[in-house]
Amino acid sequence: MVVRIGVLLVMLVAQVSADQAIIDAKARFHPLLAGSGMVVSQERLASEVGAAILAEGGNAIDAAVATGFALAVTLPRAGNIGGGGFMLVYLAEQRRTVAIDYREMAPRSARPDMFLDAQGNVDTQRARFGIDATAIPGTVAGLLHALERYGSMSREQVMAPAIALAANGIRVSADLSESLQARAQRLLADPASAGYFYRADGSAPAIGSQLYQPDLAATLQRISDRGRDEFYAGKTADLMVATIASHGGQLDHRDLASYRVVERQPVCGSYRGNTVCAMPPPSSGGVHLIQMLNILENWDLRSLGHNSAAYLHRLIESMRRAYADRSRYLGDPDFYQVPVLALTDKGYAARSAEQIPLDKAGDSAAVAPGLELQESFETTHYSTWDRSGNVVSNTYTLNFSYGNGKSVAGAGFLLNNEMDDFSAKRGAANGFGLLGEEANKIEPYKRPLSSMTPALVFAADGQPLLATGSPGGSTIITVVLQTLLNYLEFGMNIAEATAAPRIHHQWWPDKVFWEQGISADSRAILTAMGHQFELAPRVLGATMSVSRQQQWLQGAADYRRSEAAAAGAY
């Protein structure tokens, strides 16, 4: 039995601190008795697809793969088969967590100076929207790898819903119609994208109309029939290479055949007796999530009050130091020796905490990467949990909304622009304002640094408590951090933890971005301390979470994404 809960809204009243007004917030929230299953994603149909797989007897991995392929149909700006991502899988019977890295890889023609102009400056148009911004996609390989290693169903079973959605059409939501209107200039410039997503007159499909994707349906059917080889060496590969070549790009059949999925050890740390695990490099998320939790553990945060000025100051300064370290030390571990143990060491965190002035703002110009030694907002995350206690936390992306805007003619899917996540030049900012150095320079077959942070939390007895993650580009890490702190430190349920207003700081630019709900009093105090505030131009992230509380599973789909939904299966 599948339970739809995308329309269920629970009003939460959160007392955020003694000096703040009460905040009313909405969150899509649903509890189910343990022994059931739950899927939470950014789009209702995809959540229901995953829940249906659970109801049919599939496990959390089957549901995650089905949800991932469904999002490629229902959320084309971020759900994808032309991008890549990271998946954390907790295997209940083995009591083991696996980190599956299916991040995109640079083609063999890639070189460190490929996006520099004649003057040695970064050509941001080429790096973000040119055809050579496309890296070798990893999503198909990653999802099928997870299914074959840890799933219980066949490709045909888990891919059938996505194929049906693409072939039979989906109802265009307000969110989809509006996003296509917002990106019309870029997408209409590409004939294939224009044909797939717009009417003949160039207008976006109207809310409530049907969007049919027959080329995508055919591609998904071929993958279902023939597996990974179809995408990387079959007809789909031929169509992809032909499209890229028609735009003057270099990615070719040899590059596609070279793609590989890597299983890595998750990065884990402790916080107040709980274990937190997240993705290791080439994600920067896990390392810096643990690093910031380690720093913050040095203070009694609960006594300071949630989102009080004193609490937010400590958050900001922890973020400042972690993002400074990100700029220098994080990259693909197959190419660069990332000092994971040093960055996540509690002694290093204690020294960082001691250096934080508690009466004034830090100066980003004076905060350098701190080790002494001899990384779109339109990413998407989903979480799945089955009745046996297997859990998946998965984040994947095309990078920018709709990737580089170019679609594979005849195949129905968009290309990514993940090459922009490399450091095109030492000290130059990428599309999210993040700085980078040698560790993340462009090299053939290297994986670009990412902020994606799928995370799992375990209780002292080793049982999973929470699966979460978020879209949001450079803000992902801090969004996940605050969700975990709300849940673990302040005792909020997952809906309250999701709905609470957020801040973000990333070293440079030296600004604190904030959401409505952060009190004027707290901001005034922090401004007097020297912090610079700027209202976030959009909401900060959108967590999709499942938690376990005693005999209950609780799913919370972030209200910040209008089509997000939790769906349960008995």
Side-chain angles (χ1 to χ4, degrees), residues 144-209:
L144 295 185
H145 175 95
L147 181 68
E148 291 161 7
R149 288 279 185 100
Y150 307 110
S152 65
M153 288 183 162
S154 67
R155 284 196 311 270
E156 293 76 13
Q157 287 173 296
V158 300
M159 293 187 68
I163 295 167
L165 288 170
N168 299 333
I170 58 171
R171 180 185 177 276
V172 175
S173 65
D175 177 71
L176 178 54
S177 180
E178 289 165 3
S179 73
L180 287 169
Q181 290 177 45
R183 299 295 185 273
Q185 183 175 359
R186 175 153 53 95
L187 293 170
L188 287 170
D190 178 68
S193 294
Y196 289 141
F197 300 116
Y198 295 87
R199 294 174 174 176
D201 64 358
S203 62
I207 298 169
S209 64

Side-chain angles (χ1 to χ4, degrees), residues 191-198 211-216 407-413:
S193 294
Y196 289 141
F197 300 116
Y198 295 87
L211 176 64
Y212 299 94
Q213 300 174 77
D215 283 359
L216 179 56
S407 292
V408 177
F413 64 91

Side-chain angles (χ1 to χ4, degrees), residues 195-241:
Y196 289 141
F197 300 116
Y198 295 87
R199 294 174 174 176
D201 64 358
S203 62
I207 298 169
S209 64
Q210 289 291 110
L211 176 64
Y212 299 94
Q213 300 174 77
D215 283 359
L216 179 56
T219 296
L220 293 172
Q221 186 65 64
R222 291 194 302 272
I223 296 169
S224 176
D225 293 341
R226 302 167 196 163
R228 170 192 165 127
D229 286 350
E230 160 56 32
F231 188 85
Y232 292 93
K235 179 178 179 178
T236 305
D238 293 342
L239 293 169
M240 200 179 339
V241 170

Side-chain angles (χ1 to χ4, degrees), residues 138-469:
T139 294
V140 171
L143 294 182
L144 295 185
H145 175 95
L147 181 68
E148 291 161 7
R149 288 279 185 100
Y150 307 110
S152 65
M153 288 183 162
S154 67
R155 284 196 311 270
E156 293 76 13
Q157 287 173 296
V158 300
M159 293 187 68
I163 295 167
L165 288 170
N168 299 333
I170 58 171
R171 180 185 177 276
V172 175
S173 65
D175 177 71
L176 178 54
S177 180
E178 289 165 3
S179 73
L180 287 169
Q181 290 177 45
R183 299 295 185 273
Q185 183 175 359
R186 175 153 53 95
L187 293 170
L188 287 170
D190 178 68
S193 294
Y196 289 141
F197 300 116
Y198 295 87
R199 294 174 174 176
D201 64 358
S203 62
I207 298 169
S209 64
Q210 289 291 110
L211 176 64
Y212 299 94
Q213 300 174 77
D215 283 359
L216 179 56
T219 296
L220 293 172
Q221 186 65 64
R222 291 194 302 272
I223 296 169
S224 176
D225 293 341
R226 302 167 196 163
R228 170 192 165 127
D229 286 350
E230 160 56 32
F231 188 85
Y232 292 93
K235 179 178 179 178
T236 305
D238 293 342
L239 293 169
M240 200 179 339
V241 170
T243 292
I244 291 170
S246 73
H247 290 281
Q250 302 298 308
L251 194 155
D252 61 19
H253 283 95
R254 182 175 167 185
D255 293 322
L256 291 172
S258 299
Y259 186 81
R260 62 192 179 93
V261 177
V262 181
E263 288 197 2
R264 305 187 188 276
Q265 282 293 114
V267 176
C268 297
S270 64
Y271 184 81
R272 310 289 197 221
N274 300 286
T275 298
V276 178
C277 291
M279 279 302 303
S283 169
S284 61
V287 168
H288 298 310
L289 178 64
I290 302 302
Q291 179 184 4
M292 289 186 287
L293 287 170
N294 286 343
I295 295 172
L296 293 162
E297 198 174 31
N298 287 278
W299 296 293
D300 182 0
L301 302 179
R302 188 176 301 187
S303 70
L304 299 177
H306 181 260
N307 280 358
S308 67
Y311 170 67
L312 292 177
H313 174 71
R314 288 160 173 80
L315 271 187
I316 295 163
E317 296 303 326
S318 300
M319 294 171 183
R320 190 193 308 274
R321 282 151 180 81
Y323 278 80
D325 283 347
R326 183 189 189 278
S327 73
R328 177 171 296 175
Y329 303 122
L330 269 290
D332 184 344
D334 297 335
F335 287 74
Y336 179 84
Q337 189 170 346
V338 182
V340 173
L341 293 178
L343 288 166
T344 57
D345 178 69
K346 287 189 180 288
Y348 177 51
R351 294 191 297 274
S352 297
E354 289 174 359
Q355 295 167 6
I356 292 174
L358 299 182
D359 59 344
K360 63 180 180 179
D363 179 3
S364 287
V367 174
L371 288 179
E372 297 178 6
L373 297 174
Q374 315 270 330
E375 167 148 71
S376 133
F377 289 94
E378 291 305 346
T379 297
T380 192
H381 179 87
Y382 56 90
S383 301
T384 67
W385 198 306
D386 68 28
R387 57 180 55 85
S388 298
N390 301 300
V391 187
V392 173
S393 180
N394 187 84
T395 313
Y396 73 160
T397 188
L398 289 166
N399 198 23
F400 286 7
S401 182
Y402 298 98
N404 65 16
K406 298 174 179 62
S407 292
V408 177
F413 64 91
L414 286 146
L415 295 169
N416 68 76
N417 63 329
E418 292 295 353
M419 294 296 290
D420 182 59
D421 274 357
F422 283 112
S423 299
K425 180 182 179 181
R426 183 180 180 134
N430 71 3
F432 298 106
L434 291 171
L435 305 182
E437 298 187 18
E438 183 75 10
N440 192 38
K441 73 178 181 181
I442 303 172
E443 298 180 71
Y445 296 140
K446 189 176 185 179
R447 299 169 196 253
L449 185 59
S450 172
S451 296
M452 292 184 285
T453 315
L456 300 174
V457 177
F458 300 87
D461 63 1
Q463 294 300 310
L465 283 177
L466 173 66
T468 193

Side-chain angles (χ1 to χ4, degrees), residues 464-552:
L465 283 177
L466 173 66
T468 193
S470 178
S474 60
T475 71
I476 292 173
I477 310 171
T478 59
V479 167
V480 173
L481 171 70
Q482 289 166 91
T483 303
L484 296 191
L485 289 170
N486 293 345
Y487 183 80
L488 296 173
E489 184 73 55
F490 294 98
M492 298 181 188
N493 67 37
I494 192 56
E496 294 169 314
T498 298
R502 300 163 179 159
I503 64 162
H504 171 71
H505 194 286
Q506 62 180 50
W507 186 42
W508 291 108
D510 195 352
K511 295 179 180 180
V512 181
F513 296 94
W514 61 284
E515 289 184 324
Q516 294 288 353
I518 301 296
S519 82
D521 288 346
S522 291
R523 287 186 281 114
I525 294 169
L526 291 166
T527 299
M529 293 170 65
H531 292 290
Q532 300 180 59
F533 278 82
E534 183 174 318
L535 183 64
R538 62 187 81 191
V539 295
L540 297 176
T543 52
M544 304 295 152
S545 309
V546 184
S547 69
R548 177 180 60 83
Q549 189 167 0
Q550 298 176 340
Q551 76 271 33
W552 295 96

